[in-house]
Amino acid sequence: MSHVNVYLRQRPVAKDIVHQQLATEVSANGVTVIAGKTEQQPEREITIDGHYGPETPQDELFQQVGKQSCDKALSGFNSTVICFGPTGSGKTYTIFGEKGKEGLVPRMLQYIFQQKENRGQFEYQFHASFVELYLDQPYDLLVSAPASRPSSANNDNTEQRKVLTLRQSISGSFYAEGVKVKQFKSYEEGMQLLETGTSQRQTFQTKLNERSSRSHAIFSVGIIQKNRVTGVATGSLLTFVDLAGSENLSKSQSDGQRLVETQSINRSLSTLGFVIQALALNKSHIPYRESKLTKLLTEALGGSSYTAMVCCVYPLLENAHETAQSLIFATKCRNVINQPKIGVVDISGIETAARIKQLIQEIEILKLEKQKVVEERDVYKLQISELERTNSPTLSQSNTRQFDSENEQKQLFRKQDNAQKKEPLQANIDFKQIQQQHQDFNQPFSFKGNNQNQQKQIQQNSENCINYTKNQIKTTAESVHQMRSKLELKNKEMIEIQFEAKKKAETDRITIQNLKKKICDLEDQIYQTNDQANQRIEDQKKQTQQQIQGILDAQTSVFKNQEKLMSTFSNKELVNKLGQLSAPVNHYVEVEKMKVELIEKMDFQKETEMQRLKTIHDKETIDLKNMYEQQIEQQKKQIAQYQKYQEQLQKSIMWFNREYAKSQIILYEAKEGKLDSYILNEQELIQKYLQFATDQKPIKTKVKAAILIDQEREPFIVPRNIAEMVNEIQTIEAQTLEKESTLSLSREPSFRKKEIPEDFMQPLMKKTYSNFKPPNVTLNMDIHISPRPKTASTKQPIKQFESTRPKSALPLNSSQIGSCGGTTSLSNKQYQKWGW
Ligand SMILES: Nc1ncnc2c1ncn2[C@@H]1O[C@H](COP(=O)(O)OP(=O)(O)OP(=O)(O)O)[C@@H](O)[C@H]1O
């Protein structure tokens, strides 16, 4: 048993009020209202549990009033702090406080979380509700008003808000049905709830208070604590009540809505006074039901709660009456006796509710995960189609390249065949006929004496020249033949390579087809797995929902039973009974746990399978891509090499052909003795020949024969085998030179720019041989072939080669460099000195 503790708090006098006499006096026995000394208000001394003067800081009040209530609540008792007093006396300031001067509630929130930290053996759960009674109608302050409602609390918003219904519980106390009970896990969260509710509260400016509360506000904190060791859980309610202030209508001069509010407030406070009166006098009937305020305070007044009441007064002399009234009321309150008891709670219901909430959340998570899987599957699908899209052009490109390459090769073969048909490489010159022609040609010119010797010498030289040229032609033809054979060999090789490549491409095509099939299979597998997983999730969800429904039903029946039992059994029996009833609920919870674990397991398996399939697919795709890239690269290289090789071979063949043709011309010229000693280049040689062929005029000239094999016109970049061939030719050339040192192979740099077109050379040669009729020529032939240094067989730059000539004997001008020009001025002696 415990009486209601009553405290007095005096608010300080406002700064703008001066020389005001206070209406209260504090003595050792209590507080005396001085104003009461008048006739109307007899002086009276009251006894209270504590008095706090105007300068008392908020924290001091909390330490002495609030903390005690909190401690009671944390010990498992319901505990209530009620602030009452006239309007403007500081009730709201005391309960909620202001920024920087926090009242009891914020300090209480801070304190309970501090205590939670210190009490490691307990598990805590905190819930809050915030209700206001406006015009004697309960409203939920934690439910936001509709959006149309202005944010300022200085407005009437009752029409837009839902009125709560009060219900009586088995214990006899009343509660607001459907009121939001919000869990908070930190001081900040608790403050957030407090601020939300405060901002919704009805306040208005009155004559007596700038921000007068026009409603009673009840902020409740439910504390559930479970002993970790014993498992015993207690539940308690810590309630803070900020009553609206009683108001003297003559002073406040309220009218309209404010008047209605004041009347409602005063009415409910009067009922409160009757209840207190009845309780103080220990009457059998307590008129709790007379107002909603008293209904809601049933537990705090005369119930099982520890209750502290703070009587707030504004002790100005002019407020002496209100102060005295408040103190009388406080005295009555102090006589109210409560019977506090620890509230042992069956938390299985709470746990079940939490579990249901958790299950619903898990279902939501599962839904999200399912969505994620579907999205991933779509991405995967996209990737596959992208892969197919990117691979198909590469394949077709590769096939096209191969096709082109084959065509090119065929064209080359065709060209080669045509060239061969047109120009048989075997030197099909009828040398006998030429010899005969030569003799016939020389027949009419018979020389005598010295002239005969000279002619003999000339003839001898001419024959030498012819023989050398014959050999040259033969060698060149052989080289060309060899090159052709090698080219054919290479072509064969190339065909084989291409055939292999084709075969490989076919194999790869089949491999790709197989892989595509495999990808399709994998996709099917994924779809199947996904569908199965979805089906399982759906089934699981249905089952879970059924289980939840079962739990809810069980919970309802537990509550019903609990209510029934409370009225029939003693405490101990009740606990036992509840324990029995909670068994099936626990069983449901276990079943649910198992279900959730099963879902998780299934999900994990699904995830792993998806991952595995994806890894296989990724690896195979990358391998395939790499393999194709390598093959394409290789084929490209081979084709490029082959093309280069073909080009080089063609160049080489052209080069040989030209040299061959040139040799034939020179051979003919030499034989006919119609070569000019000033032949500077092949072009000139041909021009001269043409002139000779058309005019058919006798040419009296000295003759210098030169075989012009121009090193500069050899292919610049040749494959090794071609280079070897050229070297071979050069070696043969060098050997021939050693044997027949009377002939020279000089190099003509001017050829570099003046290329004779191939198609010009070939018909000319044919025409020459078929239509030629030897003209009547006086031949004064002096064949001069410059000696060639032995280094000629090695590939030396042309300048080095020229520098080996005896320059003193060859005063060359710039146009003659590299030619055999200037030799006319040499004496026979000098020629002989060089081996002629
Ligand atoms: N102890 C105090 N220290 C300083 N200022 C105070 C104190 N008590 C009240 N006040 C100031 O007095 C004014 C009125 O206080 P408050 O609104 O809390 O009164 P109330 O009793 O709740 O009035 P109502 O019943 O009209 O709502 C406020 O401006 C508040 O700041």
Side-chain angles (χ1 to χ4, degrees):
M1 288 219 298
S2 156
H3 72 83
V4 171
N5 289 317
V6 178
Y7 304 93
L8 177 70
R9 187 179 202 196
Q10 299 185 54
R11 65 159 276 193
V13 177
K15 280 175 189 157
D16 52 340
I17 299 171
V18 283
H19 307 306
Q20 261 286 3
Q21 196 190 346
L22 291 184
T24 51
E25 213 172 58
V26 183
S27 69
N29 294 327
V31 180
T32 308
V33 182
I34 300 164
K37 284 179 184 168
T38 58
E39 258 180 37
Q40 291 88 358
Q41 277 304 322
E43 181 185 336
R44 69 173 72 220
E45 197 178 87
I46 57 159
T47 306
I48 49 174
D49 297 285
H51 169 252
Y52 302 97
E55 305 306 324
T56 311
Q58 295 279 60
D59 189 50
E60 193 182 321
L61 190 80
F62 174 74
Q63 292 300 330
Q64 292 179 25
V65 180
K67 195 175 149 199
Q68 204 183 1
S69 302
C70 291
D71 286 337
K72 292 283 180 204
L74 288 170
S75 307
F77 295 96
N78 288 344
S79 189
T80 314
V81 179
I82 302 170
C83 259
F84 68 94
T87 180
S89 59
K91 298 180 292 295
T92 308
Y93 181 87
T94 302
I95 291 282
F96 301 117
E98 293 167 355
K99 202 166 181 209
K101 292 173 186 171
E102 283 77 18
L104 292 175
V105 176
R107 286 168 200 277
M108 168 276 291
L109 290 172
Q110 205 169 24
Y111 182 73
I112 57 173
F113 279 101
Q114 273 171 10
Q115 289 305 304
K116 184 190 164 203
E117 292 304 309
N118 299 339
R119 299 176 174 206
Q121 75 273 32
F122 289 103
E123 268 175 34
Y124 282 95
Q125 264 188 38
F126 301 108
H127 299 85
S129 67
F130 205 173
V131 175
E132 80 169 343
L133 277 168
Y134 178 68
L135 299 178
D136 211 31
Q137 296 288 9
Y139 295 98
D140 193 340
L141 287 174
L142 294 185
V143 173
S144 301
S148 59
R149 184 194 160 197
S151 59
S152 162
N154 257 353
N155 275 286
D156 181 4
N157 57 17
T158 46
E159 278 172 24
Q160 295 157 345
R161 294 194 296 164
K162 193 182 159 199
V163 180
L164 297 170
T165 312
L166 297 187
R167 299 249 180 255
Q168 192 171 24
S169 68
I170 300 165
S171 63
S173 60
F174 288 84
Y175 63 92
E177 191 182 51
V179 71
K180 278 261 176 292
V181 178
K182 293 205 174 174
Q183 190 177 3
F184 61 100
K185 292 180 178 172
S186 63
Y187 165 73
E188 288 75 21
E189 282 181 20
M191 282 303 285
Q192 185 64 46
L193 293 173
L194 180 64
E195 278 160 25
T196 310
T198 312
S199 67
Q200 308 263 0
R201 198 177 166 194
Q202 297 289 326
T203 58
F204 211 90
Q205 187 177 0
T206 64
K207 246 189 149 189
L208 302 171
N209 188 357
E210 238 179 47
R211 199 177 156 80
S212 178
S213 309
R214 311 310 291 164
S215 63
H216 309 294
I218 302 168
F219 183 80
S220 304
V221 174
I223 303 172
I224 296 168
Q225 50 185 330
K226 185 179 168 187
N227 192 312
R228 290 180 205 271
V229 185
T230 60
V232 175
T234 57
S236 54
L237 207 61
L238 181 55
T239 310
F240 290 82
V241 184
D242 175 22
L243 293 177
S246 55
E247 208 172 293
N248 189 329
L249 278 173
S250 59
K251 272 190 188 173
S252 67
Q253 295 173 354
S254 300
D255 55 2
Q257 183 66 12
R258 302 290 84 79
L259 178 65
V260 177
E261 286 167 0
T262 307
Q263 285 168 342
S264 169
I265 291 166
N266 288 347
R267 219 175 13 252
S268 61
L269 288 175
S270 306
T271 321
L272 179 65
F274 296 140
V275 167
I276 297 286
Q277 177 83 1
L279 282 168
L281 296 173
N282 203 12
K283 286 196 173 171
S284 56
H285 173 70
I286 315 294
Y288 289 117
R289 290 174 177 270
E290 296 300 308
S291 80
K292 286 186 178 139
L293 174 67
T294 46
K295 275 184 182 174
L296 287 173
L297 293 179
T298 317
E299 179 72 7
L301 303 168
S304 60
S305 169
Y306 269 109
T307 303
M309 294 187 79
V310 182
C311 172
C312 293
V313 292
Y314 192 8
L316 295 178
L317 204 54
E318 65 184 40
N319 294 337
H321 175 71
E322 288 83 7
T323 307
Q325 290 298 317
S326 300
L327 285 170
I328 292 164
F329 185 71
T331 318
K332 283 183 187 164
C333 289
R334 202 167 179 272
N335 292 330
V336 175
I337 305 294
N338 284 354
Q339 289 183 329
K341 52 186 174 200
I342 292 182
V344 178
V345 287
D346 173 18
I347 57 163
S348 63
I350 297 162
E351 281 176 349
T352 309
R355 181 75 190 122
I356 290 166
K357 207 174 164 189
Q358 198 185 344
L359 278 171
I360 290 166
Q361 278 173 359
E362 278 168 11
I363 287 168
E364 284 309 310
I365 291 166
L366 275 173
K367 270 184 191 169
L368 281 177
E369 276 174 4
K370 185 190 156 192
Q371 181 65 25
K372 221 169 113 186
V373 169
V374 171
E375 278 168 12
E376 267 175 18
R377 191 190 61 190
D378 289 350
V379 171
Y380 193 52
K381 258 183 175 176
L382 267 177
Q383 278 177 355
I384 289 169
S385 62
E386 180 63 22
L387 214 69
E388 282 174 353
R389 199 177 61 76
T390 46
N391 267 349
S392 65
T394 323
L395 271 172
S396 68
Q397 247 179 22
S398 150
N399 289 339
T400 318
R401 279 300 282 274
Q402 200 172 323
F403 182 72
D404 289 351
S405 145
E406 275 173 16
N407 273 349
E408 273 171 28
Q409 200 188 357
K410 275 178 193 164
Q411 274 177 8
L412 273 170
F413 280 143
R414 225 175 287 137
K415 255 191 192 174
Q416 202 175 315
D417 283 352
N418 287 344
Q420 218 164 356
K421 274 176 204 161
K422 258 192 213 168
E423 182 205 336
L425 281 171
Q426 293 299 327
N428 54 354
I429 305 162
D430 188 349
F431 285 105
K432 271 190 182 168
Q433 198 191 341
I434 291 170
Q435 189 77 27
Q436 191 55 49
Q437 276 182 359
H438 185 234
Q439 277 172 14
D440 294 348
F441 179 68
N442 285 338
Q443 201 66 45
F445 313 101
S446 51
F447 295 92
K448 291 197 172 97
N450 282 343
N451 275 350
Q452 268 183 342
N453 288 339
Q454 204 180 354
Q455 195 189 0
K456 259 186 188 170
Q457 181 64 42
I458 290 165
Q459 268 179 342
Q460 186 58 45
N461 283 345
S462 176
E463 272 165 23
N464 284 345
C465 181
I466 288 163
N467 286 337
Y468 171 76
T469 315
K470 266 162 59 182
N471 280 338
Q472 273 303 122
I473 289 165
K474 206 178 158 195
T475 321
T476 312
E478 275 170 8
S479 299
V480 171
H481 185 70
Q482 274 177 7
M483 278 185 70
R484 283 248 164 88
S485 316
K486 284 187 181 176
L487 176 64
E488 272 165 20
L489 225 84
K490 273 282 150 197
N491 278 338
K492 263 185 196 170
E493 241 176 72
M494 200 60 213
I495 289 165
E496 274 169 20
I497 290 168
Q498 280 175 347
F499 179 71
E500 280 301 314
K502 230 175 167 182
K503 236 165 86 178
K504 191 93 182 61
E506 182 57 23
T507 327
D508 293 341
R509 198 182 55 78
I510 293 164
T511 319
I512 286 176
Q513 262 181 4
N514 289 342
L515 276 170
K516 272 183 184 168
K517 205 172 156 285
K518 215 169 170 185
I519 288 167
C520 283
D521 291 349
L522 283 173
E523 270 186 327
D524 285 350
Q525 239 172 296
I526 289 165
Y527 290 141
Q528 271 177 18
T529 317
N530 205 24
D531 286 348
Q532 279 170 7
N534 286 345
Q535 190 52 48
R536 273 187 293 199
I537 287 170
E538 277 306 313
D539 293 348
Q540 210 55 48
K541 216 165 83 182
K542 271 183 198 160
Q543 277 181 20
T544 311
Q545 275 165 355
Q546 279 170 8
Q547 292 296 334
I548 289 167
Q549 195 50 51
I551 290 166
L552 284 172
D553 293 346
Q555 193 190 15
T556 319
S557 80
V558 167
F559 284 148
K560 274 182 188 163
N561 283 329
Q562 192 178 351
E563 282 177 5
K564 235 192 251 172
L565 284 164
M566 278 181 82
S567 55
T568 47
F569 292 93
S570 68
N571 245 0
K572 203 176 169 188
E573 284 168 327
L574 181 67
V575 170
N576 285 341
K577 209 71 184 161
L578 286 176
Q580 282 166 20
L581 282 168
S582 64
V585 177
N586 287 342
H587 172 69
Y588 275 122
V589 171
E590 280 307 311
V591 169
E592 277 318 301
K593 263 188 200 163
M594 276 163 64
K595 301 271 177 199
V596 170
E597 274 167 16
L598 198 70
I599 291 171
E600 277 170 2
K601 211 170 154 191
M602 265 162 49
D603 258 22
F604 178 72
Q605 278 172 0
K606 189 179 153 191
E607 187 77 15
T608 321
E609 184 60 16
M610 290 280 286
Q611 198 55 44
R612 192 181 69 81
L613 293 174
K614 197 171 178 297
T615 318
I616 291 170
H617 173 265
D618 285 354
K619 197 177 168 300
E620 282 175 352
T621 312
I622 289 166
D623 286 354
L624 199 67
K625 213 177 146 198
N626 287 345
M627 191 179 79
Y628 270 96
E629 275 173 4
Q630 273 176 14
Q631 279 177 8
I632 288 161
E633 210 48 50
Q634 223 174 340
Q635 278 185 8
K636 267 187 197 169
K637 271 185 195 165
Q638 278 178 358
I639 288 163
Q641 210 179 351
Y642 174 70
Q643 279 173 349
K644 213 160 140 193
Y645 182 64
Q646 291 273 24
E647 268 171 31
Q648 283 161 357
L649 277 175
Q650 287 301 318
K651 269 189 188 175
S652 304
I653 289 165
M654 273 166 68
W655 177 70
F656 274 109
N657 283 340
R658 260 198 307 272
E659 292 308 317
Y660 172 69
K662 241 165 53 186
S663 306
Q664 283 183 326
I665 294 169
I666 291 163
L667 173 69
Y668 181 78
E669 288 272 311
K671 185 181 166 289
E672 294 299 315
K674 291 180 185 63
L675 289 183
D676 193 289
S677 60
Y678 285 95
I679 293 166
L680 297 178
N681 54 43
E682 200 172 9
Q683 184 72 40
E684 214 172 320
L685 180 71
I686 289 160
Q687 273 174 6
K688 279 200 179 294
Y689 173 75
L690 281 174
Q691 191 190 359
F692 170 73
T694 49
D695 295 354
Q696 301 226 337
K697 283 177 188 168
I699 299 167
K700 271 192 176 179
T701 178
K702 282 190 175 181
V703 175
K704 178 176 77 75
I707 305 295
L708 304 169
I709 298 175
D710 188 356
Q711 191 179 17
E712 295 302 311
R713 287 195 297 153
E714 285 170 9
F716 286 98
I717 306 159
V718 288
R720 235 178 81 206
N721 43 4
I722 300 286
E724 277 165 17
M725 274 192 254
V726 171
N727 276 340
E728 269 172 41
I729 291 162
Q730 285 180 341
T731 316
I732 295 163
E733 191 185 59
Q735 283 165 1
T736 318
L737 266 175
E738 270 170 26
K739 278 182 209 158
E740 300 175 38
S741 60
T742 52
L743 290 172
S744 160
L745 297 174
S746 68
R747 277 143 174 85
E748 177 55 277
S750 59
F751 273 22
R752 226 180 300 167
K753 286 172 187 170
K754 294 177 184 173
E755 293 280 323
I756 300 164
E758 220 177 344
D759 49 352
F760 170 73
M761 287 290 289
Q762 305 306 329
L764 174 72
M765 293 303 293
K766 281 180 185 168
K767 190 183 162 199
T768 308
Y769 285 104
S770 54
N771 302 330
F772 177 71
K773 282 177 190 161
N776 200 9
V777 185
T778 305
L779 185 69
N780 180 13
M781 188 182 274
D782 177 10
I783 295 177
H784 171 206
I785 298 173
S786 302
R788 178 178 175 168
K790 288 186 179 178
T791 50
S793 62
T794 59
K795 287 191 169 190
Q796 285 196 18
I798 203 141
K799 277 183 186 168
Q800 275 185 28
F801 179 77
E802 282 163 13
S803 68
T804 55
R805 285 182 169 177
K807 287 203 170 129
S808 56
L810 288 165
L812 303 175
N813 61 39
S814 63
S815 66
Q816 292 167 328
I817 290 172
S819 77
C820 298
T823 50
T824 46
S825 61
L826 295 174
S827 67
N828 282 343
K829 258 189 186 176
Q830 278 170 316
Y831 293 150
Q832 278 156 14
K833 199 174 145 192
W834 292 349
W836 291 92

